[in-house]
Amino acid sequence: MNATLTLFPMPVVRVGKSAGMLLMLAMLSACSAFSSKPDSAAAPSSRNLLTQSSGANASPRPPVSSGDTVAEGLKLARLLRDQGRYEGAAGVYAQLEQRGSLKPLELLEYASVAAPTQSPRDNLALFGRARRALTEASIKLTPAATVTLCNGLGRARMSLGQRDAAMTDFDCTLTADANNVAALNAKGVLLDAGGDHEQARKLLGQAWELDPSDFRVLNNLALSHLASGDAQQAIRLLSQADAAQLPTLKLNLAFAQVLQGDEGSARKTLETIMAPALVPLALEDFAQRRQRIRDGAAVAAELMAASRHVLRLREKEASNNG
């Protein structure tokens, strides 16, 4: 989530429900410094959007018993998955697992579908069960299945702060698929967190070349430059973001502009995504962070501190919530 910093990257941080909130966070496929609720729907990347079904949260129940009924249950789960109803699909898979009806590869399928809907700790446990089942069954995985398993484990461990284990998982992915953008991006964030900014930017640059449409990778690359003291390069990269679609990157751009001493540009940037009355508050916050950096604080430390600080984008929320 968030992100070239020694302490910063803690990917896949869940954003609160209040519209207009913004906080610095680190995401798996891209870390972002300051991020906002308005773009949180897009932030998980359109690849993993959870579209909940209308009505009750209860998952459809698969048919009872085995044989054809298990096949019908899997058919239902996959139908819900293909419709983007991951929570419902995960519920069906969970019931099938409880009945002992899932084969090892189907358990891995369940883990990949459930990943956007549950906590990193639960994801780690579920992908771990899938890996054990696959090992015990001596199943030779295809490269695609290897990517699913290793990236799933890596994301969960990265979110839980298990840096070394996550690095091993992403190396596993890259052995199976050297051009896997998610793994390149995540490993870049981990290397940045360990202080290896040059190698991190090499991997992030490779990921960006492979998928120029993934602005989360661009964001991580820009923050790597920012953490290394190159605010000008961070500004150049972040200026490519669309304010309407990516307010998170615009917040990061404004912060980089303040660090560069260009508060006029930072004000204009913030005005594209924030209520005018709230812009001075954000600028004051950024200026205080800049001063602490000038007084000797590491950029990484300030980005990490910002991850625990909340701002607001909308004037209404500011008045309602104090």
Side-chain angles (χ1 to χ4, degrees), residues 2-3 8 22-25 27 30-36 39 215-216 218-223 226 231 234-235 237-239 241 246-260 266 269-270 273 286 303 306:
N2 81 183
F8 178 51
L22 72 102
L23 69 158
M24 182 191 294
L25 75 146
M27 295 181 219
C31 287
S32 54
F34 298 95
S35 82
S36 61
D39 74 329
F215 280 90
R216 298 166 307 166
L218 175 70
N219 188 50
N220 287 339
L221 182 58
L223 288 176
L226 186 61
I235 290 169
L237 292 169
L238 290 168
S239 295
L246 299 162
T248 292
L249 273 68
K250 288 301 180 183
L251 287 166
N252 293 339
L253 171 59
F255 183 58
Q257 289 167 331
V258 168
L259 289 184
Q260 189 78 341
T269 298
L270 290 172
I273 58 171
F286 293 171
L303 290 175

Side-chain angles (χ1 to χ4, degrees), residues 102-110 130 133-134 139-141 145:
L102 292 181
K103 298 176 182 178
L105 284 173
E106 293 163 353
L107 185 56
L108 177 59
E109 187 178 306
Y110 166 29
L134 290 163
I139 293 176
K140 182 175 176 59
L141 295 179

Side-chain angles (χ1 to χ4, degrees), residues 12 49 170 298 301 306:
V12 195
L49 282 180
F170 293 124

